[in-house]
Amino acid sequence: MADNDQHAGDVPAEHDRASARIDTSRPSVSRVYDVMLGGKDNYAVDRHVAEAALRIAPDAPAAAKSNRAFLRRVVHHLAAEAGIRQFLDIGSGLPTQGNVHEVAQQVAPDARVVYVDNDPIVLVHGRALLARNGSTTVIEADIRDPEAILGHPAAGALIDFEQPVALLLFGILHHLNDHEDPQGIAARFREALPSGSYLALSHFHNPGPGMPEVSAQAASAEKLFNEHLGTGRWRTREEILAFFGDLPLLEPGLVPLPEWRPDPDEFVERGITYHTFVGGVARKP
């Protein structure tokens, strides 16, 4: 495991290299999501895409916030109830309040977290945030290359794949197109998980003909994402369940995000995106 001095010493060079590769002329999934969460780490091109998305789904910011709330509830459960001490968060996005390491380490100070994202701006902000946290790191890698993530030295320094791991795939698999073999990628990560591990994911969902208005909105959103961000798939329930393979899901299964073990005082308005963002958690026996 890297100590704090080594971790902090890596920051300036990594920061400079990553900063030089940030493209402000093209929208970024991470930065558009940041807009929806009310963040400030975005550019005009990202806000333009976010505004277009809001015309289709005015409650999109609520969906983004529901995803963050779902993440926090899942991480708290895995750390406090399931005893997980290792978290691999792929497609982590820009740091925001209630990050995985904050939730997990509040429960278990010895919890170790590896964030993974392919956007250089995430590396810049993540490394700055985590410069003095020797139990957490962020690496720049792409989910399309599982071996690069699983074999990354920084990941290996913090995560022991002989012990249970929580694999977090929040809002990432729907940015893989079908021809990129998302099912195969998910299967490779499941295979790498030892017994007692957990897979948690959230995904854009098209409920189909049973909810025609919501299904039409999902199709419009998918068209917008593919025109402006190059990626975005609102999949069926069966397609999303397939990402879990044969792993048994924890109750209440695959559900709209606010329905996964909500806090007693939590209230979420059921807007049009309520049924178009679902999530679940499964355990590897």
Short mmCIF file of all heavy atoms in Angstrom, two decimals, residues 54-82:
data_model
loop_
_atom_site.label_atom_id
_atom_site.label_comp_id
_atom_site.label_asym_id
_atom_site.label_seq_id
_atom_site.Cartn_x
_atom_site.Cartn_y
_atom_site.Cartn_z
N LEU A 54 -32.57 18.68 -20.28
CA LEU A 54 -33.63 19.17 -19.41
C LEU A 54 -34.92 19.46 -20.17
O LEU A 54 -36.01 19.40 -19.60
CB LEU A 54 -33.16 20.42 -18.66
CG LEU A 54 -32.12 20.18 -17.57
CD1 LEU A 54 -31.55 21.50 -17.06
CD2 LEU A 54 -32.73 19.39 -16.43
N ARG A 55 -34.79 19.79 -21.46
CA ARG A 55 -35.99 20.01 -22.25
C ARG A 55 -36.76 18.71 -22.45
O ARG A 55 -37.98 18.71 -22.59
CB ARG A 55 -35.62 20.65 -23.60
CG ARG A 55 -35.21 22.11 -23.49
CD ARG A 55 -35.15 22.79 -24.84
NE ARG A 55 -34.04 22.34 -25.66
CZ ARG A 55 -32.82 22.88 -25.61
NH1 ARG A 55 -32.57 23.88 -24.78
NH2 ARG A 55 -31.87 22.42 -26.39
N ILE A 56 -36.04 17.59 -22.48
CA ILE A 56 -36.68 16.27 -22.61
C ILE A 56 -37.17 15.77 -21.26
O ILE A 56 -38.27 15.23 -21.14
CB ILE A 56 -35.69 15.26 -23.22
CG1 ILE A 56 -35.30 15.69 -24.64
CG2 ILE A 56 -36.29 13.85 -23.24
CD1 ILE A 56 -34.17 14.86 -25.22
N ALA A 57 -36.32 15.93 -20.25
CA ALA A 57 -36.64 15.42 -18.91
C ALA A 57 -36.32 16.50 -17.88
O ALA A 57 -35.21 16.57 -17.37
CB ALA A 57 -35.83 14.16 -18.62
N PRO A 58 -37.28 17.35 -17.58
CA PRO A 58 -37.03 18.45 -16.65
C PRO A 58 -36.56 18.00 -15.27
O PRO A 58 -35.94 18.77 -14.54
CB PRO A 58 -38.39 19.17 -16.56
CG PRO A 58 -39.09 18.80 -17.82
CD PRO A 58 -38.64 17.40 -18.13
N ASP A 59 -36.86 16.76 -14.90
CA ASP A 59 -36.46 16.28 -13.58
C ASP A 59 -35.14 15.50 -13.62
O ASP A 59 -34.82 14.77 -12.67
CB ASP A 59 -37.56 15.43 -12.95
CG ASP A 59 -37.82 14.15 -13.72
OD1 ASP A 59 -37.54 14.12 -14.94
OD2 ASP A 59 -38.29 13.17 -13.12
N ALA A 60 -34.36 15.67 -14.69
CA ALA A 60 -33.08 14.96 -14.79
C ALA A 60 -32.15 15.23 -13.61
O ALA A 60 -31.47 14.30 -13.14
CB ALA A 60 -32.39 15.31 -16.11
N PRO A 61 -32.07 16.47 -13.08
CA PRO A 61 -31.22 16.67 -11.89
C PRO A 61 -31.65 15.81 -10.71
O PRO A 61 -30.81 15.33 -9.95
CB PRO A 61 -31.39 18.17 -11.59
CG PRO A 61 -31.71 18.78 -12.91
CD PRO A 61 -32.58 17.75 -13.60
N ALA A 62 -32.96 15.59 -10.58
CA ALA A 62 -33.44 14.73 -9.49
C ALA A 62 -32.96 13.30 -9.69
O ALA A 62 -32.61 12.60 -8.73
CB ALA A 62 -34.97 14.76 -9.42
N ALA A 63 -32.90 12.85 -10.95
CA ALA A 63 -32.41 11.51 -11.24
C ALA A 63 -30.93 11.40 -10.89
O ALA A 63 -30.49 10.39 -10.32
CB ALA A 63 -32.63 11.18 -12.72
N ALA A 64 -30.16 12.44 -11.22
CA ALA A 64 -28.73 12.43 -10.89
C ALA A 64 -28.53 12.38 -9.38
O ALA A 64 -27.67 11.65 -8.87
CB ALA A 64 -28.05 13.66 -11.48
N LYS A 65 -29.33 13.15 -8.66
CA LYS A 65 -29.21 13.16 -7.20
C LYS A 65 -29.67 11.83 -6.60
O LYS A 65 -29.11 11.36 -5.60
CB LYS A 65 -30.02 14.33 -6.63
CG LYS A 65 -29.38 15.69 -6.95
CD LYS A 65 -30.25 16.85 -6.55
CE LYS A 65 -29.61 18.18 -6.97
NZ LYS A 65 -30.49 19.33 -6.74
N SER A 66 -30.68 11.21 -7.21
CA SER A 66 -31.12 9.89 -6.74
C SER A 66 -30.02 8.86 -6.90
O SER A 66 -29.86 7.97 -6.06
CB SER A 66 -32.37 9.44 -7.51
OG SER A 66 -33.50 10.16 -7.11
N ASN A 67 -29.25 8.99 -7.99
CA ASN A 67 -28.15 8.06 -8.21
C ASN A 67 -27.08 8.22 -7.13
O ASN A 67 -26.54 7.23 -6.62
CB ASN A 67 -27.54 8.29 -9.59
CG ASN A 67 -26.57 7.19 -9.99
OD1 ASN A 67 -26.85 6.01 -9.83
ND2 ASN A 67 -25.42 7.59 -10.51
N ARG A 68 -26.78 9.46 -6.76
CA ARG A 68 -25.80 9.69 -5.70
C ARG A 68 -26.32 9.18 -4.35
O ARG A 68 -25.56 8.59 -3.57
CB ARG A 68 -25.45 11.18 -5.58
CG ARG A 68 -24.70 11.75 -6.75
CD ARG A 68 -23.38 11.06 -7.00
NE ARG A 68 -22.47 11.11 -5.88
CZ ARG A 68 -21.22 10.65 -5.91
NH1 ARG A 68 -20.74 10.13 -7.02
NH2 ARG A 68 -20.44 10.72 -4.85
N ALA A 69 -27.60 9.39 -4.10
CA ALA A 69 -28.18 8.92 -2.84
C ALA A 69 -28.17 7.39 -2.80
O ALA A 69 -27.90 6.78 -1.75
CB ALA A 69 -29.60 9.46 -2.68
N PHE A 70 -28.47 6.76 -3.92
CA PHE A 70 -28.43 5.30 -4.03
C PHE A 70 -27.01 4.80 -3.74
O PHE A 70 -26.81 3.85 -2.97
CB PHE A 70 -28.88 4.89 -5.43
CG PHE A 70 -28.68 3.43 -5.77
CD1 PHE A 70 -29.32 2.44 -5.04
CD2 PHE A 70 -27.88 3.06 -6.83
CE1 PHE A 70 -29.16 1.10 -5.36
CE2 PHE A 70 -27.70 1.73 -7.16
CZ PHE A 70 -28.33 0.74 -6.43
N LEU A 71 -26.03 5.45 -4.35
CA LEU A 71 -24.63 5.08 -4.10
C LEU A 71 -24.30 5.14 -2.62
O LEU A 71 -23.71 4.21 -2.06
CB LEU A 71 -23.70 6.00 -4.91
CG LEU A 71 -22.19 5.82 -4.74
CD1 LEU A 71 -21.46 6.17 -6.03
CD2 LEU A 71 -21.64 6.69 -3.61
N ARG A 72 -24.68 6.22 -1.97
CA ARG A 72 -24.36 6.38 -0.55
C ARG A 72 -25.02 5.29 0.29
O ARG A 72 -24.40 4.74 1.21
CB ARG A 72 -24.77 7.78 -0.07
CG ARG A 72 -23.89 8.89 -0.63
CD ARG A 72 -24.14 10.21 0.08
NE ARG A 72 -25.44 10.78 -0.23
CZ ARG A 72 -25.67 11.61 -1.24
NH1 ARG A 72 -24.68 11.95 -2.06
NH2 ARG A 72 -26.88 12.10 -1.44
N ARG A 73 -26.28 4.97 -0.01
CA ARG A 73 -26.97 3.93 0.76
C ARG A 73 -26.32 2.57 0.55
O ARG A 73 -26.16 1.78 1.50
CB ARG A 73 -28.46 3.87 0.38
CG ARG A 73 -29.25 5.12 0.75
CD ARG A 73 -30.74 4.87 0.71
NE ARG A 73 -31.23 4.32 -0.55
CZ ARG A 73 -31.55 5.04 -1.62
NH1 ARG A 73 -31.42 6.37 -1.59
NH2 ARG A 73 -32.00 4.46 -2.72
N VAL A 74 -25.94 2.29 -0.69
CA VAL A 74 -25.30 1.00 -0.99
C VAL A 74 -23.96 0.89 -0.28
O VAL A 74 -23.67 -0.13 0.36
CB VAL A 74 -25.12 0.84 -2.52
CG1 VAL A 74 -24.20 -0.34 -2.82
CG2 VAL A 74 -26.47 0.65 -3.20
N VAL A 75 -23.14 1.91 -0.39
CA VAL A 75 -21.80 1.86 0.22
C VAL A 75 -21.92 1.74 1.74
O VAL A 75 -21.19 0.96 2.37
CB VAL A 75 -20.98 3.10 -0.17
CG1 VAL A 75 -19.67 3.17 0.62
CG2 VAL A 75 -20.68 3.07 -1.68
N HIS A 76 -22.85 2.48 2.34
CA HIS A 76 -23.03 2.39 3.78
C HIS A 76 -23.44 0.98 4.18
O HIS A 76 -22.92 0.41 5.15
CB HIS A 76 -24.07 3.39 4.26
CG HIS A 76 -24.22 3.43 5.75
ND1 HIS A 76 -25.08 2.59 6.44
CD2 HIS A 76 -23.59 4.18 6.70
CE1 HIS A 76 -24.99 2.82 7.73
NE2 HIS A 76 -24.09 3.79 7.92
N HIS A 77 -24.37 0.39 3.42
CA HIS A 77 -24.81 -0.98 3.72
C HIS A 77 -23.64 -1.96 3.61
O HIS A 77 -23.45 -2.81 4.49
CB HIS A 77 -25.93 -1.40 2.78
CG HIS A 77 -26.26 -2.86 2.88
ND1 HIS A 77 -27.03 -3.38 3.90
CD2 HIS A 77 -25.88 -3.93 2.12
CE1 HIS A 77 -27.13 -4.69 3.75
NE2 HIS A 77 -26.44 -5.05 2.68
N LEU A 78 -22.86 -1.84 2.54
CA LEU A 78 -21.78 -2.79 2.32
C LEU A 78 -20.69 -2.67 3.37
O LEU A 78 -20.11 -3.66 3.80
CB LEU A 78 -21.19 -2.62 0.92
CG LEU A 78 -22.15 -2.96 -0.23
CD1 LEU A 78 -21.47 -2.73 -1.57
CD2 LEU A 78 -22.65 -4.39 -0.12
N ALA A 79 -20.43 -1.44 3.81
CA ALA A 79 -19.40 -1.24 4.83
C ALA A 79 -19.92 -1.60 6.22
O ALA A 79 -19.24 -2.28 7.00
CB ALA A 79 -18.90 0.20 4.80
N ALA A 80 -21.13 -1.17 6.54
CA ALA A 80 -21.65 -1.33 7.91
C ALA A 80 -22.27 -2.70 8.15
O ALA A 80 -22.10 -3.28 9.23
CB ALA A 80 -22.68 -0.23 8.20
N GLU A 81 -23.00 -3.22 7.15
CA GLU A 81 -23.73 -4.47 7.35
C GLU A 81 -23.01 -5.69 6.76
O GLU A 81 -23.06 -6.77 7.34
CB GLU A 81 -25.13 -4.36 6.73
CG GLU A 81 -25.95 -3.17 7.22
CD GLU A 81 -26.23 -3.24 8.72
OE1 GLU A 81 -26.35 -4.36 9.24
OE2 GLU A 81 -26.33 -2.17 9.34
N ALA A 82 -22.38 -5.52 5.61
CA ALA A 82 -21.74 -6.65 4.94
C ALA A 82 -20.25 -6.77 5.28
O ALA A 82 -19.63 -7.77 4.92
CB ALA A 82 -21.92 -6.53 3.43
#
